Amino acid sequence: MPVEFNQEDGTGLEDSTSYVSSAEYTQYLENYGYSSNKTGDEILQLLNRSQLLINERYWFKGEIVKNTQALDWPRHRCYTKNNVSIASDEIPKALKDAQCSIAYQIDLADEAEGEITNPNAEKEGYQSQSLGPMSITYGNNSSSNDRGISYNTADTLLKPFTDNTYRV
């Protein structure tokens, strides 16, 4: 079966699965010097997964535009970090960048088969413990999940829209 993928266009679609297109994600990687071995449907799956995490993790200010929309955006009564009103038919660049950042972190974790791939892990509160040949690395910071993936960039980008209120 083909991957179901529909990009939100700011109208509050009932069947959208992502805020970001495959082309936008690829451009994001290029802009920041990142690379990925994923192509085609694999990128669409990454974007669907990252959007799911956004909807599961963050409580956004304001109200959704339509009761029938699939995603948490677009919204009424939201503002940028500079207190500029976001149009109710706009998907903020910060939200798109956050989704791309999360997709890339998921991609890195998939490639490492669950290993922590964050180069700043020690500074961000991760700890490792070993017993003989076994070791475990875990995070004691609230912006990580059980795979040790850090979402600090997304947390920072989305902070103006959330009041630091997370669902997990």
Side-chain angles (χ1 to χ4, degrees), residues 5 7 18 20-28 39-40 43-44 47:
F5 183 88
Q7 183 183 3
S18 179
V20 179
S21 69
S22 178
E24 288 171 314
Y25 178 65
T26 302
Q27 186 63 56
Y28 174 89
T39 60
I43 291 175
L44 300 181
L47 292 173

Side-chain angles (χ1 to χ4, degrees), residues 37-108:
N37 294 325
K38 301 245 185 328
T39 60
D41 282 355
E42 294 173 316
I43 291 175
L44 300 181
Q45 291 167 339
L46 267 180
L47 292 173
N48 285 346
R49 288 168 64 193
S50 61
Q51 181 286 129
L52 274 176
L53 191 138
I54 287 172
N55 272 15
E56 291 171 357
R57 182 175 171 83
Y58 301 97
W59 288 99
F60 292 106
K61 297 177 189 177
E63 298 86 35
I64 59 173
V65 172
K66 294 181 183 176
N67 288 334
T68 57
Q69 69 189 56
L71 306 181
D72 287 340
W73 286 82
R75 299 186 78 75
H76 292 294
R77 291 182 271 294
C78 280
Y79 299 87
T80 68
K81 67 180 180 180
N82 298 319
N83 208 29
V84 176
S85 179
I86 298 169
S88 63
D89 63 350
E90 179 182 347
I91 306 301
K93 182 179 183 329
L95 176 59
K96 290 184 172 198
D97 285 350
Q99 184 179 357
C100 289
S101 173
I102 290 169
Y104 183 65
Q105 291 299 317
I106 292 170
D107 187 11
L108 289 177

Side-chain angles (χ1 to χ4, degrees), residues 135-146:
S135 69
I136 185 170
T137 304
Y138 55 91
N140 56 1
N141 115 14
S142 65
S143 58
S144 301
N145 70 6
D146 62 349

